[in-house]
Amino acid sequence: MAEVLVLVDHVDGEVKKVTQELLTAARRIGEPSAVWVGGGSANGRATLAEYGAAKVYVADGSEYTDHVVAPQAELLATLVQDHAPAAVLVSATAQNKEVAARAAIKTDSGILTDVVDVTGELVAEHSIFGGAMVTHAKVRKGTPFLAVRPNAVPAEPSPADAAEEAVSVELSDAARSATVTERVVEERGERPELTEAAIVVSGGRGVGSDDFTVVEQLADSLGAAVGASRAATDAGWYPHQFQVGQTGKTVSPNLYIALGISGAIQHRAGMQTSKNIVAVNKDPEAPIHEISDFSVLGDLHTVAPQLTEEVKKRS
Amino acid sequence: MNIVVLVKQVPDTATERKLNPADHTLDRAGSDGVINELCEYAIEEALLQREKHGGEVTVVSMGPDQATDSIRKALSMGADKAVHLNDEALHGSDALQTAYALAQTLSTVSYDLVILGSESTDARTGVLGAALAEYLGVPQLTQASKVDIEDGTATIRRTTDYGYDVVTASLPAVVSVVEKINEPRYPSFKLIMQAKKKPVEKLDLAAAGISAEKVGLANAATEVTDAAPAPPRAAGTVVKDEGDGGVKIAEFLAEKKFV
Ligand SMILES: Cc1cc2nc3c(=O)[nH]c(=O)nc-3n(C[C@H](O)[C@H](O)[C@H](O)COP(=O)(O)OP(=O)(O)OC[C@H]3O[C@@H](n4cnc5c(N)ncnc54)[C@H](O)[C@@H]3O)c2cc1C
Ligand SMILES: Nc1ncnc2c1ncn2[C@@H]1O[C@H](COP(=O)(O)O)[C@@H](O)[C@H]1O
């Protein structure tokens, strides 16, 4: 069976959920081989095995992460040349899309980004124009590089060996030209990452102030990530990196709860592919109701706390 | 310091956007075009850097005739001159082909810094900056929320999932910017009048040194095979809060097995 490379996302040796999803998707196409960059692979191996990685290529060494994007692109390009995989899957994060694009150029291949589903024949589905249209696309040259969105394919275990194989590539000077001198981790507490979360609770102008407690408490009761509309981030009520929408993050969770968000087209562009949408909004005319599965017309400052209490009672 | 800023005209998100039924490419002629929003932040950053370090800001845009509107806008904000790559053969180019074509075009311009937006609102691939760095063989400083130039070295804050990385490289380099980097200025009346007289050089494939067999729909490495309107979402339930709105949502969530 043809090999399918899956670039692993991990934090401190913990494999992210999106990688489990990609391994599941890769099994539709062929036999997944995980690509692990950096240290800690021993900690992640069990998860990779559980989700079907037959092999794990381990590129351990700080040189792959001390320089931006280019080293990982050289690594992927080398693995593609050596193993001729049927495809390369990465998660559709800003960085992995860049890695995949550069590796695709090096291997004279094509790249499809922000894929929301993929078949065994490598037909990729896209949701475009803020969810208004669905298109299908194929790569017809070289090795298909697909950047797949988190939550696109539900992760299902299917145990395999996850046999480790150390790899190393001789990095070019060009790959070392942009150097990371410092990493700054901004506080986000224990909440899941916005683009990866299965549930997102977002607050908009309706929250009314920089006191986002009502949004955060609901999010925490559900184990959800917190998002915000641009009205809220522009006002400085919530940090910019949590903005959802056309100029913010694109999320596609199983459940999206919009509190005091009108549902402007630019906001919808970042959340319309959510599988279930719940809205709390005072205004019956707000466009968010057109796309929501369940809307409550009311004041979020009473409805959301009540919901938080109910969720706590039921869990 | 000479700065190139890349500008793209995109269909206005607020209007209905369409694909050409024949080849599934974006219908650029049939929708209202606007400058891609993040390009305005790129232009602003180019102007701020010019204010600090001197030199010239050259707008480079690849696009059909309508792209002149966005080029004008960039010149009205204060850029010095422009290069417009316009050739029917470019139609249908995918993201990597576009990066190749722009890289070739850049070989006709002298630059220390190339600045662009980190994503466009039409295709939203977010890979152009990285692909351009690959083709040009210069350092990639993308997703920047802050840029400092000193003694031929650029240092940026690269936005990451967990915060940011400080990344440094020597010039020339490609810098892509995110929205929080600055606040784009409004063109003044005086600049709008001046912009009309600023030079716009028009290039076709040959003039930019682009091989026709590497660009356009027929040569793209990717192919859109079909397109259809998304199935409409089933009409949702709307209830008025009668003091039990939160409970009602909890019941809906229980039904869907979220709680
Ligand atoms: C180029 C461009 C890019 C953009 N990119 C983005 C983007 O990435 N993300 C984004 O979100 N926006 C973006 N926008 C902005 C977008 O157009 C809207 O302005 C923005 O989404 C509005 O945010 P909002 O829904 O929070 O605020 P509003 O539109 O003001 O809506 C607030 C809603 O809250 C309701 N409300 C008020 N008080 C309460 C209460 N107590 N209880 C319940 N409901 C209440 C109101 O009825 C209203 O519907 C962009 C705009 C442009 C032009
Ligand atoms: N006639 C043209 N001249 C120059 N660039 C174009 C032309 N048509 C499309 N493009 C650009 O090629 C890319 C793909 O365009 P499209 O096929 O219209 O989606 C976009 O960056 C367009 O701006």
Side-chain angles (χ1 to χ4, degrees), chain A residues 7-299:
Chain A
L7 182 61
V8 177
D9 287 324
H10 60 91
V11 180
D12 306 327
E14 198 180 319
V15 176
K16 288 208 191 171
K17 183 173 75 114
V18 65
T19 299
Q20 302 166 12
E21 296 166 359
L22 294 191
L23 289 168
T24 307
R27 298 203 309 264
R28 297 175 180 173
I29 303 159
E31 190 170 64
S33 292
V35 180
W36 185 285
V37 180
S41 62
N43 298 330
R45 205 178 134 203
T47 310
L48 300 178
E50 185 185 350
Y51 287 89
K55 280 196 218 167
V56 186
Y57 296 115
V58 180
D60 192 357
S62 60
E63 66 270 27
Y64 298 106
T65 47
D66 284 351
H67 306 281
V68 169
V69 172
Q72 293 194 43
E74 289 193 356
L75 171 68
L76 283 189
T78 305
L79 289 172
V80 165
Q81 274 140 14
D82 292 352
H83 301 280
V88 180
L89 306 188
V90 305
S91 66
T93 61
Q95 165 141 326
N96 285 345
K97 290 199 282 185
E98 295 182 330
V99 169
R102 296 191 69 151
I105 294 171
K106 288 174 192 299
T107 55
D108 208 9
S109 300
I111 175 171
L112 294 167
T113 55
D114 296 287
V115 170
V116 297
D117 202 359
V118 58
T119 69
E121 288 69 47
L122 284 158
V123 175
E125 184 168 300
H126 286 104
S127 163
I128 64 164
F129 300 159
M133 288 195 88
V134 175
T135 61
H136 293 96
K138 285 201 81 154
V139 170
R140 56 182 181 195
K141 200 170 124 199
T143 305
F145 282 77
L146 306 187
V148 182
R149 281 213 190 132
N151 298 317
V153 175
E156 283 160 27
S158 169
D161 286 348
E164 282 204 22
E165 191 176 308
V167 293
S168 76
V169 295
E170 197 67 48
L171 294 180
S172 70
D173 287 345
R176 301 168 191 269
S177 63
T179 305
V180 179
T181 56
E182 194 188 344
R183 283 183 212 284
V184 179
V185 178
E186 284 171 348
E187 212 48 65
R188 71 177 159 83
E190 295 301 301
R191 292 192 190 103
E193 206 170 285
L194 181 54
T195 52
E196 245 210 8
I199 305 179
V200 174
V201 180
S202 287
R205 201 191 310 273
V207 175
S209 76
D210 65 358
D211 183 359
F212 250 56
T213 319
V214 54
V215 182
E216 292 183 333
Q217 285 181 342
L218 177 55
D220 292 341
S221 74
L222 290 160
V226 173
S229 74
R230 177 149 156 194
T233 57
D234 273 358
W237 296 350
Y238 218 66
H240 185 273
Q241 73 256 35
F242 297 102
Q243 182 178 317
V244 171
Q246 179 180 303
T247 39
K249 298 268 160 56
T250 301
V251 300
S252 196
N254 295 327
L255 173 63
Y256 187 89
I257 303 182
L259 302 176
I261 293 178
S262 62
I265 180 96
Q266 295 91 353
H267 187 78
R268 279 154 50 170
M271 47 66 75
Q272 192 148 5
T273 55
S274 304
K275 290 171 196 72
N276 293 280
I277 299 172
V278 169
V280 180
N281 195 308
K282 292 198 287 205
D283 177 7
E285 304 297 323
I288 191 78
H289 303 308
E290 291 162 23
I291 58 162
S292 81
D293 300 289
F294 197 89
S295 286
V296 169
L297 305 179
D299 188 336

Side-chain angles (χ1 to χ4, degrees), chain B residues 40-46 48 145 178-184:
Chain B
E40 293 186 39
Y41 295 80
I43 298 163
E44 178 65 30
E45 195 57 32
L48 293 173
S145 63
V178 301
E179 180 192 300
K180 65 179 159 185
I181 193 165
N182 57 39
E183 206 41 69

Side-chain angles (χ1 to χ4, degrees), chain B residues 189-247:
Chain B
F189 180 70
K190 193 171 144 221
L191 278 168
I192 292 172
M193 296 315 288
Q194 283 173 0
K196 300 191 167 136
K197 299 194 199 76
K198 290 178 178 170
V200 179
E201 187 187 356
K202 305 248 180 209
L203 300 183
D204 59 9
L205 287 197
I210 296 167
S211 328
E213 64 275 14
K214 288 196 179 167
V215 292
L217 189 63
N219 304 309
T222 53
E223 178 186 21
V224 177
T225 51
D226 62 79
R233 290 187 89 97
T237 311
V238 181
V239 300
K240 207 167 164 324
D241 179 32
E242 308 279 4
D244 60 353
V247 176

